[in-house]
């Protein structure tokens, strides 16, 4: 894309219509290993849903793009259309860079560090205004990056030293922008939450608490519904403040029952240390609750779940019809739990069918039912507990659209999962002969070749070692033993997902369950062919990047 004619200053009040990460990246991240045709198709869908032009997906060097953004901030010129384009480009390019980095791309990591260095230089040179720093934090958050401490400290310092007659400007701009986002988003509180959450990423905690209070004081129902999402915020102080603010507001203004229902739904997803605090807020809000409002739910057409990729990422997809329109509900789950959730509404049937067809051709996908969806979500939420990463607020939107009841964490271990899967099989399908055959057959499965290890820890281990055989040996001896639980869970959850295809002759769910049981046991690692294959493919992938 040619940016030569851009004006040079992001707007300080206007919010983006939709942010790309909230709706586009969950599928793109989850399907990052898919063929280029599918990625192009998905991006076209996102473009249509969010109103971005096709030119935003053109190739960009993210370091140069970020440098251009910093220059536009320093020059202080303003053009809202250019601002929206530039911010959208940055979110997409930085998000792609993050994915490449996670996949072991050293050049991507170097570019990420270069961008952080550019930001530090801009902060030290005082070329960023407070609103610019806040928007930078929002860009990073939307792209899945960590907001650096240097930016948070700079924002805090700017707020402390602001002149008395300008101290409220940033907050006023933020409130105005949020009200505009609420209007543009069709009163969707999940869109509003994501915008304000990413905006607050660079705020000091006390400023975030103040802003939430100001937003609720505006007495806008969609804003209150959005603030409820902060109950799932990683910062417990901010989460408690959101609950307290909503409870205090309920003493003056009647509360929509839907908000209370959402808080109740989120409660089991929270650590026990947070549940009691939320319970008190819910009790206070119920004292002034409006009657429930019945809504028509979309009709479920088909449900799908996928096996795990090499990183532990898997997905579920549900096609639905509501009125004359169709929609796709999707959740991306990682080893750390539910990571992204979204609803793509008002799709033409042909477009929805094309998406499903391409997904089926590009990844191991199995049909299931809503009970299977609930099981997969419960297991993923348990992973959220184990990792300490709370599920996203949009999971509430997904669960509501599917008409599900309470979705509680399912803490079943890999051994418990595979034991349940194998319980009803006849002895000849689980005896030692069947197990040996399963180990051999699984090596030829389509997705097993996508299972390998990557990352900085692995690279640091392998770099000093010379020779492929020696590298495989050190992985088997010192690295993979610490990863047995991960790979056992890969097999167990993939078996659970693929069991829906048990009527198909080549469905590998039994092999996955039997091999997963051996990985979860105390069987020597070098007696498990899949683990040896994982080591070999990991070394091959590492050496291709040298």
């Amino acid at each position: 894309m040619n940016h030569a004619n851009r004006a040079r200053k992001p707007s300080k009040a206007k919010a983006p219509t939709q942010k790309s990460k909230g709706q586009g990246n969950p599928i793109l991240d989850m399907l990052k290993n898919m063929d280029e045709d599918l990625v192009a198709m998905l991006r076209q869908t996102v473009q249509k849903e969010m109103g971005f032009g096709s030119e935003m997906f053109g190739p960009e060097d993210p370091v140069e793009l970020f440098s251009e953004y910093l220059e536009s901030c320093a020059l202080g010129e303003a053009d809202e259309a250019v601002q929206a384009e530039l911010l959208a480009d940055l979110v997409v390019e930085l998000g792609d860079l993050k994915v490449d980095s996670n996949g072991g791309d050293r050049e991507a990591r170097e570019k990420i560090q270069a961008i952080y260095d550019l930001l530090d230089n801009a902060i030290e040179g005082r070329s960023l205004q407070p609103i610019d720093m806040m928007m930078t934090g929002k860009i990073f958050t939307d792209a899945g990056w960590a907001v650096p401490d240097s930016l948070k400290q700079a924002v805090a310092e700017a707020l402390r030293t602001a002149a008395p007659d300008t101290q409220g400007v940033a907050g006023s701009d933020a409130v105005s922008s949020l009200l505009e986002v609420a209007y543009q988003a069709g009163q969707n509180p999940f869109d509003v939450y994501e915008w304000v959450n990413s905006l607050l990423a660079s705020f000091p905690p006390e400023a975030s608490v103040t802003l939430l209070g100001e937003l609720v004081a505006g007495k806008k129902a969609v804003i209150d519904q959005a603030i409820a999402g902060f109950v799932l915020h990683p910062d417990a102080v901010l989460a408690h403040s959101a609950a307290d603010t909503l409870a205090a507001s309920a003493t003056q203004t009647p509360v929509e029952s839907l908000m209370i229902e959402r808080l109740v739904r989120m409660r089991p997803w929270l650590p026990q240390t947070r549940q009691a605090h939320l319970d008190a807020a819910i009790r206070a809000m119920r004292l002034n609750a409006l009657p429930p409002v019945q809504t028509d739910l979309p009709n479920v057409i088909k449900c799908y779940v996928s096996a795990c990729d090499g990183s532990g990422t898997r997905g579920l997809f549900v096609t639905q019809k509501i009125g004359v329109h169709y929609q796709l509900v999707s959740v991306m789950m990682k080893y750390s739990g539910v990571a992204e959730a979204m609803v793509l509404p008002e799709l033409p049937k042909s477009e929805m069918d094309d998406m499903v067809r391409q997904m089926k051709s590009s990844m191991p996908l199995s049909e299931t039912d809503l009970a299977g969806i609930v099981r997969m979500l419960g297991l993923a939420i348990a992973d959220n507990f184990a990792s300490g990463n709370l599920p996203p607020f949009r999971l509430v939107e997904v669960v509501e659209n599917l008409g599900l009841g309470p979705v509680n964490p399912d803490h079943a271990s890999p051994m418990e999962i595979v034991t349940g899967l194998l319980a009803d099989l006849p002895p000849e399908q689980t005896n030692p002969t069947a197990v040996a055959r399963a180990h051999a057959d699984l090596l030829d499965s389509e997705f097993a070749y996508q299972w390998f290890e990557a990352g900085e820890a692995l690279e640091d281990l392998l770099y000093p070692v010379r020779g492929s055989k020696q590298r495989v040996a050190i992985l088997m001896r010192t690295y993979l033993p610490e990863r047995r639980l991960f790979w056992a869970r890969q097999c167990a959850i993939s078996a659970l997902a693929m069991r829906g295809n048990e009527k198909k002759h080549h469905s590998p769910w039994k092999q996955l369950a039997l091999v997963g049981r051996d990985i979860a046991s105390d069987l020597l690692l070098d007696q498990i062919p899949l683990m040896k294959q994982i080591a070999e493919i990991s070394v091959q992938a590492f050496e291709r990047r040298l």
Side-chain angles (χ1 to χ4, degrees):
M1 186 188 304
N2 185 356
H3 302 289
N5 296 324
R6 278 187 175 145
R8 293 297 184 178
K9 181 66 178 178
S11 164
K12 301 204 186 312
K14 186 171 179 63
T17 302
Q18 296 277 358
K19 68 187 185 62
S20 63
K21 180 177 181 292
Q23 291 193 14
N25 280 349
I27 281 185
L28 297 182
D29 287 347
M30 178 171 50
L31 309 180
K32 58 183 177 292
N33 293 323
M34 285 187 171
D35 60 75
E36 294 180 359
D37 290 339
L38 176 58
V39 172
M41 180 274 298
L42 289 173
R43 281 178 168 165
Q44 290 169 5
T45 298
V46 175
Q47 288 173 236
K48 178 178 179 180
E49 291 303 312
M50 303 190 315
F52 291 146
S54 60
E55 71 275 3
M56 74 170 283
F57 293 109
E60 291 280 4
D61 179 82
V63 178
E64 292 180 3
L65 194 62
F66 189 73
S67 179
E68 179 184 350
Y69 163 74
L70 293 177
E71 182 184 354
S72 73
C73 293
L75 290 175
E77 300 172 6
D79 184 296
E80 292 184 353
V82 170
Q83 176 250 11
E85 180 188 19
L86 182 54
L87 296 186
D89 287 348
L90 273 170
V91 171
V92 171
E93 295 301 328
L94 298 190
D96 288 346
L97 195 63
K98 176 71 172 179
V99 172
D100 292 342
S101 172
N102 290 342
D105 187 331
R106 280 185 168 267
E107 183 181 0
R109 293 175 190 159
E110 291 171 357
K111 288 185 176 182
I112 288 175
Q113 186 58 54
I115 288 171
Y116 279 133
D117 290 343
L118 284 173
L119 176 60
D120 285 342
N121 291 337
I123 292 172
E124 292 175 5
R126 299 185 180 278
S127 61
L128 298 177
Q129 297 298 315
I131 193 66
D132 296 324
M133 292 187 283
M134 295 171 194
M135 290 305 298
T136 303
K138 176 173 168 39
I139 291 167
F140 281 8
T141 302
D142 290 349
W145 288 34
V147 177
D149 289 340
S150 59
L151 182 60
K152 294 180 180 179
Q153 292 167 3
V155 171
E157 179 64 21
L159 293 175
R160 280 195 302 269
T161 60
D165 59 345
T166 63
Q167 285 179 348
V169 171
S172 297
D173 284 345
V175 173
S176 299
S177 293
L178 285 168
L179 293 175
E180 186 171 353
V181 166
Y183 174 77
Q184 294 173 348
Q187 300 296 302
N188 186 322
F190 301 98
D191 292 336
V192 177
Y193 166 78
E194 289 188 346
W195 200 90
V196 67
N197 181 46
S198 57
L199 179 70
L200 293 182
S202 57
F203 271 51
E206 62 276 8
S208 297
V209 169
T210 299
L211 181 59
L212 292 186
E214 292 177 357
L215 290 171
V216 172
K219 300 187 183 303
K220 300 290 185 181
V222 68
I223 297 291
D224 290 356
Q225 292 281 3
I227 299 304
F230 281 90
V231 168
L232 291 170
H233 197 275
D235 188 322
V237 173
L238 191 56
H240 287 172
S241 174
D244 292 343
T245 299
L246 292 172
S249 176
T251 64
Q252 302 174 359
T253 306
V255 181
E256 291 185 76
S257 292
L258 179 59
M259 182 191 296
I260 298 175
E261 293 169 8
R262 285 174 174 164
L263 295 175
V264 171
R265 187 181 291 283
M266 291 186 286
R267 182 189 182 277
W269 306 347
L270 297 171
Q272 288 187 353
T273 53
R274 291 201 193 183
Q275 290 180 3
H277 191 96
L278 180 60
D279 289 343
I282 291 173
R283 286 194 298 270
M285 295 168 71
R286 279 178 170 156
L287 296 176
N288 197 16
L290 295 169
V293 176
Q294 297 297 323
T295 58
D296 294 330
L297 292 173
N299 294 319
V300 172
I301 303 173
K302 285 188 177 181
C303 306
Y304 304 91
V305 291
S306 78
C308 301
D309 72 6
S311 69
T313 300
R314 68 268 188 199
L316 61 85
F317 310 91
V318 181
T319 56
Q320 295 183 290
K321 184 177 182 182
I322 178 167
V324 298
H325 296 290
Y326 295 82
Q327 67 181 28
L328 179 69
V329 174
S330 175
V331 177
M332 180 177 71
M333 300 161 285
K334 297 185 177 182
Y335 188 66
S336 58
V338 177
E340 299 281 359
M342 70 174 180
V343 177
L344 285 177
E346 298 186 3
L347 298 173
K349 185 177 186 302
S350 59
E351 192 169 1
M352 183 187 71
D353 289 343
D354 283 345
M355 293 178 71
V356 172
R357 186 161 47 249
Q358 291 286 351
M359 291 173 189
K360 284 182 176 179
S361 68
S362 303
M363 65 189 303
L365 209 62
S366 176
E367 284 192 33
T368 185
D369 54 19
L370 287 180
I373 295 294
V374 171
R375 181 78 196 279
M376 284 295 182
L377 288 177
L379 289 167
I381 292 170
D383 291 336
N384 286 108
F385 269 84
S387 68
N389 297 310
L390 294 175
F393 183 41
R394 276 197 185 269
L395 182 59
V396 175
E397 183 183 30
V398 163
V399 172
E400 287 179 352
N401 271 268
L402 296 180
L404 303 180
V407 181
N408 297 314
D410 181 346
H411 296 281
S413 68
M415 184 64 82
E416 290 170 338
I417 295 171
V418 297
T419 299
L421 289 170
L422 299 172
D424 296 330
L425 295 181
E428 62 270 18
Q429 294 187 26
T430 59
N431 62 23
T433 300
V435 172
R437 186 167 57 249
H439 279 283
D441 291 347
L442 191 58
L443 297 183
D444 295 326
S445 64
E446 176 185 357
F447 61 90
Y449 286 100
Q450 301 176 15
W451 283 6
F452 61 93
E453 296 275 2
E456 291 187 67
L458 177 137
E459 293 174 5
D460 291 343
L461 176 66
L462 295 184
Y463 262 116
V465 180
R466 294 292 177 264
S468 299
K469 289 184 179 180
Q470 289 77 8
R471 286 169 173 156
V472 170
I474 197 170
L475 285 186
M476 292 291 292
R477 185 173 64 254
T478 67
Y479 191 89
L480 289 178
E482 302 297 323
R483 299 280 287 167
R484 289 189 76 137
L485 178 61
F486 172 82
W487 289 109
R489 196 164 181 82
Q490 290 279 91
C491 289
I493 291 180
S494 295
L496 188 63
M498 299 309 293
R499 186 177 58 169
N501 284 342
E502 60 183 329
K503 294 181 180 179
K504 295 185 179 180
H505 182 66
H506 297 295
S507 177
W509 78 266
K510 296 175 186 177
Q511 293 93 326
L512 283 162
L514 291 169
V515 172
R517 185 176 65 180
D518 277 354
I519 297 175
S521 71
D522 57 0
L523 186 67
L524 293 177
L525 209 62
D526 59 9
Q527 295 180 20
I528 303 176
L530 177 63
M531 299 305 294
K532 180 70 176 297
Q533 178 172 280
I534 288 169
E536 292 171 347
I537 296 176
S538 300
V539 169
Q540 292 171 13
F542 166 77
E543 292 177 345
R544 281 197 297 267
R545 295 192 296 269
L546 292 179

